[in-house]
Amino acid sequence: MTKYLLLKHYRGAPASVNDVRMDQWAPEEVTAHVQYMEDFAAKLESTGEFVESQALAPQGTFVRSDGEGRAPVTDGPFAETKDLIAGWMVIDVENYERALELAGELSAAPGAGGKPVQEWLELRPFLTETHTCTE
């Protein structure tokens, strides 16, 4: 089994087919989208392929160490994750082909007008081993 991250984006990915921002959806459209996500996760729980999922709020701040006792905070000019990452799901599947299949299914969550969003999801395998150079 291999773990994969299915990463949902606010922006930064190619435009989806049903490219209407969620903050412009009717409340029942948001509810239908969230229900699809919950049903999808429940289906994967039943097959043992679900690990976890989280939605993220758009607020966020970059923080770094700038010496002892100081932590500078900035709101730009960087492309920040609060502007990019909407949420994620972690799956644990037999192979890459199954991960692709599930990512495609998740991409079909309903959006504005009840039509599938067909959003682009970033699919990334977890790093499982570190290679060491012996020469």
Side-chain angles (χ1 to χ4, degrees):
M1 299 288 278
T2 303
K3 289 183 182 171
Y4 286 88
L5 175 68
L6 299 173
L7 194 56
K8 296 175 67 69
H9 293 271
Y10 282 119
R11 62 185 175 105
S16 61
V17 173
N18 187 359
D19 194 23
V20 178
R21 290 183 10 196
M22 187 180 268
D23 62 358
Q24 297 173 356
W25 297 1
E28 61 273 10
E29 294 168 341
V30 173
T31 299
H33 184 82
V34 171
Q35 187 63 57
Y36 183 96
M37 301 289 292
E38 290 173 356
D39 293 346
F40 184 78
K43 181 181 86 166
L44 296 185
E45 283 177 339
S46 73
T47 63
E49 296 172 306
F50 179 81
V51 177
E52 72 166 309
S53 65
Q54 290 292 321
L56 298 175
Q59 301 84 7
T61 303
F62 262 95
V63 178
R64 70 170 180 154
S65 169
D66 197 26
E68 191 166 330
R70 298 180 298 197
V73 175
T74 184
D75 195 30
F78 312 108
E80 300 181 21
T81 57
K82 71 178 185 181
D83 297 328
L84 301 175
I85 301 171
W88 71 83
M89 180 175 286
V90 177
I91 57 175
D92 195 3
V93 295
E94 285 293 327
N95 53 47
Y96 178 70
E97 289 72 25
R98 178 64 175 154
L100 287 175
E101 177 185 339
L102 293 175
E105 187 177 338
L106 185 59
S107 171
K115 296 178 183 172
V117 175
Q118 292 180 286
E119 66 184 322
W120 289 91
L121 299 174
E122 186 175 348
L123 176 64
R124 297 186 62 184
F126 278 37
L127 183 62
T128 56
E129 76 181 64
T130 304
H131 299 282
T132 304
C133 182
T134 58
E135 294 181 26

